[in-house]
Amino acid sequence: MKKLITLILLSGTISLFSLTIVLNSARENKEDYSILHIFSDKKIFCKKKRVSADRLKYICEINENANIDLEPKKTKLVNISFIKKSKNLEVVIVPKYNVKVFKTSRPLFMTNEIDRYDYKKAKHWIFLLYKNKIFLKQSKNDIGINFPVLFTKDNTPSIGALDPNGLPISYKGGSKDIAAYLAIKDDYDKERFNYVISEASKAIDNFPNSIFLNDFILFKIRAMNNLLKSKSDDIKENDADYNQIIKLGKSWIKKFPSNQNIPEVLYYIANAFQNLGQDSDARYFYDILITEHPDSKYTKLGIISFADSLYAKDKEQKAVKLYKDVLYSAKDIDVASVAAERLAKLYIKKKDYKRAKEYYKKIIEANPKYYLKNPQKAYLLAVKLSKYDMNDLSAVLLEKLLKEIKRGSELKENVLKTLADVYVKLKNKKAASRYYKEYLKNFRYGQYSDEVKKSLDGLFFDDDERNSTKLLARYDKLMSEYKDEEIYQKAGVLKAKLLIRLKRYEQALTFLDGFKYNEKTKDSVLKLKKLAAKYIAEKNLNDFNCLRAVKIIESYHPQIDENQSKNLGKCYIDTNNYDKALIIA
């Protein structure tokens, strides 16, 4: 006797969590016993509580919210109930007699023995429920189940290669159609769609009775669809057109009416009619998809294609509704990502960048592989996101892309440089510097090496260098390397500020007198000159070095503090500037 309860709990819009509960009941020497399995793809927390002196219960918490009603289960040996809470589901197991508890986080076939109940979380919990001792070990020192099973070290059983329907391939000595199938599949995976169409056509003619015939035709339809969708210039005459897809698709459905790929072929046919402008025929096949295969990913893709046609006809509101319906109902994460991308692009066109960012963020955070499977596409999107001031998202995508790119890839150069530039926009100088340096390390003579070196030098101005001698030396180096450029101007102003901060006023003034400032830095340079001149003049006034003090004041016109008025008046008299002395008096 076997009772099976399977629960599929959906959390969020694109993450799937599964919980399975299996209760097996049997008899051994006229004694009933049951084995309860609770397992999941996430770890489950189970705790033991005492109900009375001789009764226990176990509570297993599932950290997901199940929006379904579950009926309690009662048997001779155990009662099972379910308690829904705001953030989780509790499975309550109340044994009526004896129980032994075991757990494991690995499949049973991968281990020779099961751990005892000594920790609180595991992916698989096993409750052995019984009334009297039956096949349990009698010794008090022995713990566990005494099943008469020997775990040997024999090799794992193998049945060899399987055909597309999951059945063993029975050909002896190999077969040419198998080789053709594998070659076509490899070309398709590598997106060599012209080759797929050509080789699939040959295979259909050469192997009309092959078990792979449905795959040959299907790969040809898929390749034609992808080639037409890409609008590639590589489409050769008679290679692919939508009429061929319709003809092949209808023929395929007649030949293989029970094949599991029926929804996919229906989708290609409907999409082909739609692209030919035959809306009534397209709607007919979309209706079949929605009616007969409501949960198929290709039904959802069909709804997206239909929404595309509505959007092209200026029916934006209806299209948006359909995109959102797919986004929040699709169980396939890639299909949900397609819908989210459609919405993001729609809001980009409307210049509603805030809402567009929300949808791009959903994809990049929940399903980055959607973009990363095509590195060039991911890179171009990152550039686009930065263009529309979504630099934080751009940086996240570029970071993920950098980890995926193989060493030696030509794209890596662009990714490193762009990532550093994006961090500059985010004012994250530390990260920007790290990636500029990594670029120069990997691409010393790259196409952007001069630009990167200049950008890296520009970041220096925010460096945390505390050694003034080193700072002055680096300012001088930058000024010598970047004459008549922005870095020269910025380095010069910072050098003057540092000299004044170090109270090296004479050196600062001499430097500023020889500094070739431009209109952008003119005001800053003149202010610094007055500031240096002020300190020099006041020092000379305090030392009654009147000639130097008066000369500095007349040359640079600094604002002298009022407490220096008496000394300034005396110096004016000593240097025969009686009119100015009279004004002060």
Side-chain angles (χ1 to χ4, degrees), residues 61-272:
E61 295 181 2
I62 315 301
N63 291 326
E64 294 288 340
N65 185 15
N67 294 317
I68 54 177
D69 292 321
L70 301 170
E71 295 293 331
K73 306 295 176 183
K74 295 183 179 181
T75 71
K76 293 179 181 179
L77 299 174
V78 65
N79 291 341
I80 306 171
S81 59
F82 305 93
I83 301 174
K84 288 198 300 182
K85 295 195 174 181
S86 59
K87 294 184 178 180
N88 62 16
L89 171 72
E90 288 186 352
V91 181
V92 181
I93 302 109
V94 182
K96 295 183 178 179
Y97 302 102
N98 297 310
V99 63
K100 294 287 185 183
V101 183
F102 306 87
K103 80 282 164 268
T104 180
S105 287
R106 293 184 294 170
L108 293 178
F109 61 81
M110 293 178 64
T111 180
N112 288 348
E113 59 185 29
I114 307 171
D115 299 330
R116 284 304 311 274
Y117 180 75
D118 54 4
Y119 56 79
K120 295 183 179 180
K121 282 191 176 182
K123 291 185 178 180
H124 188 171
W125 290 86
I126 304 162
F127 297 84
L128 176 61
L129 305 146
Y130 61 99
K131 186 173 182 180
N132 301 306
K133 287 186 178 181
I134 39 175
F135 47 76
L136 298 180
K137 292 182 179 181
Q138 301 301 315
S139 173
K140 294 182 179 179
N141 296 324
D142 292 333
I143 300 175
I145 304 176
N146 188 20
F147 285 121
V149 179
L150 294 176
F151 292 94
T152 64
K153 294 185 178 180
D154 293 339
N155 291 331
T156 304
S158 174
I159 59 172
L162 302 178
D163 68 18
N165 295 317
L167 300 174
I169 293 175
S170 59
Y171 296 133
K172 294 182 180 180
S175 176
K176 290 182 180 179
D177 62 341
I178 296 176
Y181 167 79
L182 294 174
I184 291 168
K185 184 179 185 302
D186 182 60
D187 283 332
Y188 184 83
D189 291 340
K190 293 176 179 176
E191 299 185 0
R192 298 196 289 246
F193 300 126
N194 277 321
Y195 288 102
V196 173
I197 294 169
S198 174
E199 294 305 312
S201 298
K202 292 178 185 177
I204 292 167
D205 292 336
N206 294 335
F207 311 109
N209 299 316
S210 170
I211 61 170
F212 296 105
L213 181 62
N214 78 84
D215 295 284
F216 296 148
I217 300 172
L218 186 54
F219 271 120
K220 185 175 180 179
I221 295 171
R222 287 169 175 164
M224 286 194 292
N225 181 73
N226 279 287
L227 209 55
L228 290 165
K229 189 169 62 174
S230 68
K231 299 179 181 178
S232 171
D233 295 331
D234 295 334
I235 302 178
K236 298 175 184 177
E237 189 175 357
N238 298 324
D239 250 2
D241 64 56
Y242 289 114
N243 284 310
Q244 284 192 63
I245 290 178
I246 294 168
K247 183 179 178 181
L248 269 178
K250 287 182 176 180
S251 172
W252 186 93
I253 290 173
K254 288 179 181 178
K255 288 181 180 178
F256 311 104
S258 61
N259 191 284
Q260 62 181 0
N261 294 307
I262 286 284
E264 182 180 359
V265 177
L266 287 169
Y267 164 69
Y268 293 137
I269 296 171
N271 189 58

Side-chain angles (χ1 to χ4, degrees), residues 564-582:
Q564 293 287 344
S565 297
K566 185 175 181 181
N567 291 340
L568 181 57
K570 288 180 179 179
C571 280
Y572 276 143
I573 292 171
D574 289 348
T575 56
N576 299 321
N577 285 287
Y578 301 119
D579 291 342
K580 292 179 180 177
L582 184 60

Side-chain angles (χ1 to χ4, degrees), residues 448-459:
Y448 306 114
S449 56
D450 291 339
E451 184 182 343
V452 167
K453 186 177 181 298
K454 184 176 177 181
S455 298
L456 183 60
D457 286 335
L459 290 176

Side-chain angles (χ1 to χ4, degrees), residues 298-451:
Y298 291 99
T299 301
K300 302 298 182 182
L301 287 172
I303 293 171
I304 291 173
S305 294
F306 183 66
D308 292 342
S309 68
L310 291 175
Y311 183 73
K313 296 173 183 176
D314 295 325
K315 297 179 180 179
E316 181 185 308
Q317 193 171 356
K318 290 183 178 179
V320 169
K321 183 181 183 303
L322 290 176
Y323 291 142
K324 288 184 177 180
D325 286 346
V326 173
L327 173 61
Y328 296 114
S329 66
K331 294 179 181 179
D332 186 286
I333 193 169
D334 285 332
V335 173
S337 298
V338 172
E341 186 177 47
R342 289 288 201 283
L343 288 164
K345 287 180 177 179
L346 185 149
Y347 287 119
I348 286 285
K349 286 182 181 179
K350 296 179 70 174
K351 296 183 179 181
D352 189 346
Y353 303 128
K354 184 177 180 181
R355 295 182 75 177
K357 182 178 180 179
E358 292 176 9
Y359 291 104
Y360 278 127
K361 187 177 181 181
K362 287 178 186 292
I363 303 171
I364 293 170
E365 288 185 350
N367 188 24
K369 288 184 179 179
Y370 177 75
Y371 290 121
L372 297 179
K373 63 188 176 186
N374 186 332
Q376 185 65 33
K377 179 181 177 181
Y379 172 70
L380 293 176
L381 175 63
V383 173
K384 180 180 178 180
L385 293 173
S386 180
K387 176 184 175 183
Y388 294 118
D389 199 27
M390 304 179 202
N391 291 298
D392 51 344
L393 267 188
S394 178
V396 171
L397 182 56
L398 288 168
E399 290 272 15
K400 293 179 182 294
L401 179 58
L402 193 59
K403 292 177 182 178
E404 294 290 322
I405 296 176
K406 295 180 180 179
R407 192 171 184 178
S409 169
E410 294 180 2
L411 187 60
K412 186 173 182 179
E413 182 178 2
N414 288 325
V415 172
L416 277 172
K417 198 255 182 193
T418 304
L419 182 55
D421 290 343
V422 167
Y423 275 123
V424 170
K425 293 179 182 179
L426 290 169
K427 298 182 179 179
N428 187 338
K429 309 296 183 182
K430 187 175 180 180
S433 176
R434 182 171 76 252
Y435 287 113
Y436 279 140
K437 288 176 181 177
E438 188 175 342
Y439 176 94
L440 292 173
K441 180 181 177 182
N442 288 277
F443 306 98
R444 187 176 178 184
Y445 303 107
Q447 61 176 324
Y448 306 114
S449 56
D450 291 339
E451 184 182 343

Side-chain angles (χ1 to χ4, degrees), residues 473-530:
R474 288 170 70 178
Y475 288 140
D476 287 336
K477 185 174 182 293
L478 290 172
M479 290 175 67
S480 66
E481 288 184 7
Y482 299 100
K483 291 181 180 179
D484 302 322
E485 293 187 40
E486 185 179 349
I487 290 179
Y488 169 88
Q489 296 292 326
K490 197 169 184 179
V493 170
L494 289 175
K495 178 180 177 180
K497 287 181 177 179
L498 178 57
L499 289 170
I500 292 171
R501 193 164 68 246
L502 296 172
K503 299 183 179 181
R504 291 154 66 171
Y505 307 122
E506 292 283 0
Q507 189 179 344
L509 193 58
T510 301
F511 165 73
L512 288 167
D513 282 340
F515 182 67
K516 297 177 182 179
Y517 57 82
N518 59 21
E519 284 300 316
K520 195 172 181 179
T521 56
K522 180 179 178 180
D523 289 342
S524 297
V525 170
L526 294 179
K527 286 180 181 178
L528 289 170
K529 277 187 178 185
K530 286 180 180 291

